[in-house]
Amino acid sequence: MLGWSLLQIHNHHVMYEFFNGVRAALQDGTFEAASGGFSDAYEAQFPEGTGERPRARGYHFKSEAGQEKINKSTWIDLDTALAAKPAADEA
Protein backbone atom coordinates (compact mmCIF):
# COMPACT_ATOMS: atom_id res chain seq x y z
CA MET A 1 0.00 0.00 0.00
CA LEU A 2 2.94 2.32 0.62
CA GLY A 3 4.10 1.83 -2.96
CA TRP A 4 0.68 2.84 -4.29
CA SER A 5 0.63 5.95 -2.08
CA LEU A 6 4.13 6.97 -3.15
CA LEU A 7 3.23 6.45 -6.80
CA GLN A 8 0.18 8.68 -6.44
CA ILE A 9 2.24 11.39 -4.72
CA HIS A 10 4.77 11.20 -7.56
CA ASN A 11 2.07 11.36 -10.25
CA HIS A 12 0.38 14.34 -8.62
CA HIS A 13 3.72 16.13 -8.33
CA VAL A 14 4.58 15.51 -11.99
CA MET A 15 1.17 16.77 -13.15
CA TYR A 16 1.40 19.77 -10.83
CA GLU A 17 4.79 20.74 -12.26
CA PHE A 18 3.62 20.13 -15.83
CA PHE A 19 0.64 22.45 -15.47
CA ASN A 20 2.74 25.02 -13.62
CA GLY A 21 4.93 25.06 -16.73
CA VAL A 22 1.87 25.42 -18.98
CA ARG A 23 0.55 28.33 -16.89
CA ALA A 24 3.97 30.03 -16.89
CA ALA A 25 4.30 29.62 -20.67
CA LEU A 26 0.82 31.09 -21.18
CA GLN A 27 1.66 34.07 -18.98
CA ASP A 28 5.02 34.63 -20.70
CA GLY A 29 3.55 34.25 -24.17
CA THR A 30 5.92 31.37 -24.95
CA PHE A 31 3.32 28.61 -25.06
CA GLU A 32 3.63 27.94 -28.80
CA ALA A 33 7.41 27.50 -28.57
CA ALA A 34 7.12 25.41 -25.40
CA SER A 35 4.47 23.12 -26.92
CA GLY A 36 6.66 22.70 -30.01
CA GLY A 37 9.59 21.78 -27.78
CA PHE A 38 7.42 19.26 -25.95
CA SER A 39 6.37 17.65 -29.24
CA ASP A 40 9.98 17.52 -30.44
CA ALA A 41 11.12 15.88 -27.20
CA TYR A 42 8.36 13.26 -27.05
CA GLU A 43 7.43 12.74 -30.71
CA ALA A 44 9.28 9.42 -30.90
CA GLN A 45 7.11 8.11 -28.05
CA PHE A 46 3.78 9.18 -29.59
CA PRO A 47 1.95 6.24 -31.18
CA GLU A 48 1.60 6.41 -34.93
CA GLY A 49 -1.90 7.42 -35.92
CA THR A 50 -3.93 4.99 -37.98
CA GLY A 51 -6.78 7.35 -38.78
CA GLU A 52 -9.17 5.18 -36.77
CA ARG A 53 -10.58 5.79 -33.35
CA PRO A 54 -8.76 4.07 -30.51
CA ARG A 55 -10.73 1.46 -28.61
CA ALA A 56 -14.02 1.90 -30.46
CA ARG A 57 -16.36 -0.25 -28.43
CA GLY A 58 -19.51 0.49 -30.37
CA TYR A 59 -21.68 1.34 -27.38
CA HIS A 60 -22.02 4.96 -28.44
CA PHE A 61 -23.06 4.23 -32.04
CA LYS A 62 -26.68 3.99 -33.07
CA SER A 63 -27.35 0.71 -34.83
CA GLU A 64 -28.95 0.59 -38.23
CA ALA A 65 -31.38 -2.08 -39.36
CA GLY A 66 -29.59 -5.41 -39.76
CA GLN A 67 -26.21 -4.03 -38.75
CA GLU A 68 -24.01 -6.24 -36.56
CA LYS A 69 -22.73 -4.76 -33.32
CA ILE A 70 -19.04 -3.85 -33.28
CA ASN A 71 -18.55 -5.82 -30.06
CA LYS A 72 -20.90 -8.49 -28.85
CA SER A 73 -22.26 -8.37 -25.30
CA THR A 74 -20.26 -10.37 -22.77
CA TRP A 75 -23.26 -11.23 -20.59
CA ILE A 76 -25.63 -14.12 -21.15
CA ASP A 77 -29.17 -14.83 -20.00
CA LEU A 78 -28.56 -17.20 -17.07
CA ASP A 79 -32.15 -18.47 -16.99
CA THR A 80 -31.90 -19.65 -20.60
CA ALA A 81 -28.37 -21.02 -20.16
CA LEU A 82 -29.31 -22.96 -17.00
CA ALA A 83 -32.49 -24.33 -18.56
CA ALA A 84 -30.53 -25.64 -21.56
CA LYS A 85 -27.85 -27.26 -19.36
CA PRO A 86 -28.77 -30.69 -17.96
CA ALA A 87 -28.70 -30.97 -14.19
CA ALA A 88 -25.76 -32.84 -12.61
CA ASP A 89 -28.03 -35.58 -11.21
CA GLU A 90 -29.63 -36.18 -14.64
CA ALA A 91 -26.33 -36.85 -16.37
Side-chain angles (χ1 to χ4, degrees):
M1 290 184 72
L2 175 62
W4 177 257
S5 297
L6 292 174
L7 182 62
Q8 291 301 311
I9 291 168
H10 169 266
N11 289 344
H12 284 280
H13 175 73
V14 169
M15 294 302 294
Y16 177 80
E17 291 299 320
F18 174 76
F19 284 107
N20 270 345
V22 169
R23 282 189 288 276
L26 287 170
Q27 287 177 345
D28 297 346
T30 60
F31 181 77
E32 291 297 324
S35 65
F38 180 85
S39 294
D40 292 342
Y42 291 100
E43 187 171 5
Q45 296 179 12
F46 290 156
E48 185 175 334
T50 61
E52 297 180 12
R53 298 174 312 278
R55 296 196 269 162
R57 293 191 170 98
Y59 305 124
H60 55 284
F61 297 114
K62 288 190 175 202
S63 62
E64 296 177 12
Q67 180 184 13
E68 291 284 326
K69 290 185 176 181
I70 292 176
N71 294 322
K72 302 281 188 235
S73 297
T74 57
W75 62 272
I76 59 171
D77 182 5
L78 288 178
D79 293 332
T80 305
L82 292 175
K85 182 179 175 185
D89 57 333
E90 294 178 13

